[in-house]
Amino acid sequence: MGLSILMVGNSLTAANAMPSMLASLLDAQVVAITRGGARLAEFSNPLTKTGSRVLQALESDGTQEEYGCFDYVIAQDMSHLPATNPSAHERAVAKMCELARDHNAAPVLYGTWGYREGSAKLKKLGMSAAQMGQLMHEGSLRAAAAHGAIFADMAKVVAQMEDADWFYATDGVHPSPAGSQLVAQTIADALRC
């Protein structure tokens, strides 16, 4: 049997059925627990609906047909938190890493990107795309390193693009279908290292 992966995150994970893309790339079983707009802290809190679902999946140990023992838990935080509140982001990463390890799974941080230059949400944050991308990279890198998570750094990948417009959906926040394919490839590459 191949790899078994649990993914937790919000619409940046769910967009364009990215978990299915990852499953195809790795020939793996990927279970995704997502909620639009969710912060990572919600997924490690058993008192929330999504946190309860995550705990149920991790504790099933193969006793429930749809779940098995997971090799990896891939976690994604709110789209701007590593840039706007890195300490809250790091606390959430720490809890998720602990939860994964408590269930014999390797933790993986899927770090997201800065918003597209000129997008409404970026203007609302009051920073440039380059500033946001750098802060996203730094906040997630620091959290992953501090808690021993494998790191898939999409902020760095997007920042290095000469023209990143193709990566984004029309809202300048979510990935396009091709963007989601690149996310899946970047995560797959991080797991293969």
Side-chain angles (χ1 to χ4, degrees):
M1 187 173 158
L3 290 176
S4 184
I5 298 168
L6 175 63
M7 293 192 83
V8 300
N10 55 39
S11 57
L12 298 183
T13 292
N16 308 304
M18 188 273 287
S20 295
M21 295 175 184
L22 181 64
S24 292
L25 287 169
L26 293 173
D27 192 24
Q29 175 199 17
V30 178
V31 174
I33 298 176
T34 61
R35 187 184 72 72
R39 292 175 182 242
L40 185 54
E42 186 179 313
F43 293 96
S44 61
N45 181 349
L47 301 179
T48 67
K49 247 185 216 183
T50 47
S52 174
R53 287 178 62 209
V54 168
L55 193 58
Q56 179 184 10
L58 288 169
E59 290 184 342
S60 68
D61 292 330
T63 57
Q64 293 182 34
E65 196 171 300
E66 71 268 32
Y67 301 130
C69 296
F70 294 102
D71 300 297
Y72 296 100
V73 174
I74 301 174
Q76 177 252 314
D77 208 343
M78 180 176 263
S79 65
H80 62 78
L81 206 63
T84 59
N85 194 340
S87 59
H89 173 64
E90 186 171 337
R91 285 192 303 273
V93 170
K95 285 183 180 177
M96 207 66 223
C97 287
E98 181 181 358
L99 186 61
R101 287 191 183 100
D102 284 350
H103 293 87
N104 300 311
V108 180
L109 179 59
Y110 152 31
T112 59
W113 47 88
Y115 302 158
R116 184 176 58 211
E117 195 65 62
S119 66
K121 286 197 170 187
L122 184 64
K123 288 177 186 175
K124 196 172 180 180
L125 290 179
M127 58 181 83
S128 71
Q131 288 170 321
M132 184 180 182
Q134 185 62 31
L135 290 171
M136 294 293 288
H137 163 73
E138 290 170 0
S140 292
L141 177 63
R142 192 166 37 251
H147 302 287
I150 296 166
F151 185 34
D153 188 1
M154 285 307 302
K156 185 176 181 181
V157 169
V158 173
Q160 291 175 340
M161 293 178 187
E162 199 167 302
D163 176 13
D165 281 351
W166 65 269
F167 177 81
Y168 294 94
T170 55
D171 66 1
V173 174
H174 290 86
S176 65
S180 289
Q181 187 65 49
L182 179 61
V183 170
Q185 186 64 60
T186 301
I187 294 172
D189 291 346
L191 296 185
R192 289 180 181 129
C193 287

